[in-house]
Amino acid sequence: PRYQVGEVVYIKETWWCPEKGLPIAYANLESHQADRQIWRSPLFMPAWAARDFIQITDVRPQMLQEITYKDCLAEGVVSSKEWQSLDYKAPEPLHPKDLSNEEADREIDRGWIEYCRQTYATLWDSINPKYPWASNPYVWVHTFRKVDKPVKVVRAC
């Protein structure tokens, strides 16, 4: 795995600072689009400019398609623009009058879980064309917690 348990890393993001020691600006989507030429790429963000730090609490291998509904939500698919682009509707029970309320709720939940996974698969394919969802590659799953800025940061995320 790229990161080890216990390691503290900083999160890179689009940023701007005229020189070290002056206030740093962090781009949101609107400002990033409006003033594109002044923003610096996240690829070149140094640790001193970072505002978010995480500590890795667990690392494990997993096949991509084993991702859970909860993991899909943690990956941010709910707010993704991909969510609206899928032509998938959560199924209603075939005969709702023949099902108990609990059974009907389970059927509807099952449909939304599949909808969420399809959304994540679409997002994954847009980011990882060499390793598409259909190939079901092994991935490293990192669990982390947000921490305060440490005295010394070794790596970037």
Side-chain angles (χ1 to χ4, degrees):
R2 183 173 182 182
Y3 306 105
Q4 304 299 318
V5 172
E7 189 171 7
V8 174
V9 297
Y10 64 97
I11 306 300
K12 292 184 172 189
E13 59 184 309
T14 303
W15 65 292
W16 180 76
C17 181
E19 61 184 72
K20 190 172 181 177
L22 293 178
I24 300 165
Y26 301 95
N28 59 35
L29 292 177
E30 294 78 26
S31 64
H32 183 68
Q33 294 301 320
D35 300 319
R36 184 172 291 178
Q37 65 274 13
I38 69 167
W39 297 107
R40 295 184 184 185
S41 169
L43 294 174
F44 305 109
M45 178 182 244
W48 62 261
R51 61 180 171 172
D52 292 317
F53 297 82
I54 59 172
Q55 182 175 36
I56 307 302
T57 58
D58 187 44
V59 180
R60 62 184 166 77
Q62 173 182 299
M63 293 189 79
L64 177 62
Q65 293 180 19
E66 292 175 1
I67 192 168
T68 66
Y69 173 68
K70 185 177 175 183
D71 293 338
C72 288
L73 296 178
E75 290 289 339
V77 297
V78 170
S79 62
S80 167
K81 290 181 183 178
E82 300 293 332
W83 186 268
Q84 288 84 24
S85 71
L86 286 178
D87 187 24
Y88 180 84
K89 304 291 183 229
E92 294 293 331
L94 292 177
H95 303 288
K97 292 180 182 176
D98 296 339
L99 299 176
S100 69
N101 286 340
E102 185 177 303
E103 290 170 324
D105 287 346
R106 269 198 309 271
E107 284 298 304
I108 292 169
D109 285 347
R110 182 185 57 75
W112 282 111
I113 289 168
E114 184 57 27
Y115 183 68
C116 187
R117 285 176 46 83
Q118 287 185 18
T119 301
Y120 182 74
T122 301
L123 177 61
W124 175 271
D125 285 346
S126 74
I127 299 169
N128 301 284
K130 290 184 180 181
Y131 305 99
W133 174 266
S135 70
N136 199 21
Y138 271 97
V139 295
W140 289 109
V141 177
H142 295 85
T143 305
F144 58 88
R145 64 183 178 92
K146 191 170 180 180
V147 295
D148 293 332
K149 186 174 186 172
V151 175
K152 182 180 177 184
V153 179
V154 181
R155 302 198 43 205
C157 181

